[in-house]
Amino acid sequence: MPSALTLAVEPADLHPQDELSLTGPLVAVIAVCLLLALGLIVAVVILSRSPRKPAKVKQPRGAHRNTSAKALWHARIDAIVDQHERGALSREEALTQLALVARDFATDASGRSLHSSTLTDLTLLDRTSANRQGLDTLRQTIEALYPPEFADPAFNIHARSVTVPQAADWVANLVERWRP
């Protein structure tokens, strides 16, 4: 049989003790926990703030947008129409100039060179939610300008029927619809 340690407790040895006074230590523990919680809250607030960078100026959209940059592009478009109406530019030259303005604008707005991009190139460009509308509008504008700019008006009704003001409206529409 294994040996076991047996303690005998005498009932006479059992004496009730006074109530333990834990109020002081419990108050101290609660105070430390509250200070620790407050410190953690402050740390979370400080660490969750974004790093201090120069404030990026957010461009308002729509009617509230600063149109000074767009006004420059519209001025270029209007100048081409005016030159065509005065006879300084032929219809073909004006259409070529308008296509160049569309490509210059898209290059400036997108940050990548689109001067020599074909329709296929424009179709294959990577699109994101930010640039999709602008690139699609550019492709449509260039596609609409191709026949009047390059096709023989004797054989292509679209090349024959497009006017310089109409083409200017297409390019102006591109400028207005492009979102940064």
Side-chain angles (χ1 to χ4, degrees):
M1 195 183 315
S3 66
L5 181 63
T6 309
L7 294 174
V9 178
E10 291 278 330
D13 288 339
L14 298 176
H15 302 289
Q17 294 290 322
D18 288 334
E19 182 179 307
L20 293 177
S21 176
L22 295 177
T23 307
L26 285 176
V27 169
V29 168
I30 290 172
V32 167
C33 288
L34 287 174
L35 286 174
L36 184 61
L38 183 63
L40 288 173
I41 289 171
V42 169
V44 166
V45 168
I46 290 172
L47 294 175
S48 67
R49 296 171 93 188
S50 61
R52 293 185 187 250
K53 294 180 184 175
K56 184 177 179 183
V57 178
K58 187 173 181 178
Q59 292 286 336
R61 292 185 167 198
H64 304 289
R65 184 177 180 139
N66 179 2
T67 58
S68 63
K70 287 184 178 183
L72 296 174
W73 294 104
H74 286 294
R76 283 183 65 183
I77 295 166
D78 293 343
I80 293 168
V81 174
D82 290 342
Q83 288 177 2
H84 171 69
E85 289 175 352
R86 285 192 329 245
L89 287 176
S90 69
R91 179 178 170 272
E92 291 74 23
E93 290 170 331
L95 294 172
T96 301
Q97 295 262 336
L98 288 168
L100 180 63
V101 169
R103 289 176 182 279
D104 285 347
F105 170 77
T107 294
D108 186 56
S110 70
R112 62 175 119 175
S113 179
L114 300 171
H115 291 102
S116 61
S117 299
T118 64
L119 282 177
T120 303
D121 295 336
L122 294 174
T123 302
L124 297 176
L125 285 174
D126 290 333
R127 283 168 167 62
T128 64
S129 59
N131 72 7
R132 177 172 285 113
Q133 179 182 357
L135 291 175
D136 288 345
T137 306
L138 172 65
R139 188 193 55 74
Q140 292 168 352
T141 303
I142 297 300
E143 184 176 21
L145 288 171
Y146 265 10
E149 186 179 4
F150 296 113
D152 185 355
F155 299 107
N156 187 312
I157 191 165
H158 183 64
R160 193 170 46 239
S161 63
V162 173
T163 65
V164 171
Q166 184 180 23
D169 287 343
W170 296 337
V171 178
N173 183 46
L174 169 68
V175 171
E176 286 303 313
R177 292 184 61 193
W178 193 285
R179 297 287 179 240

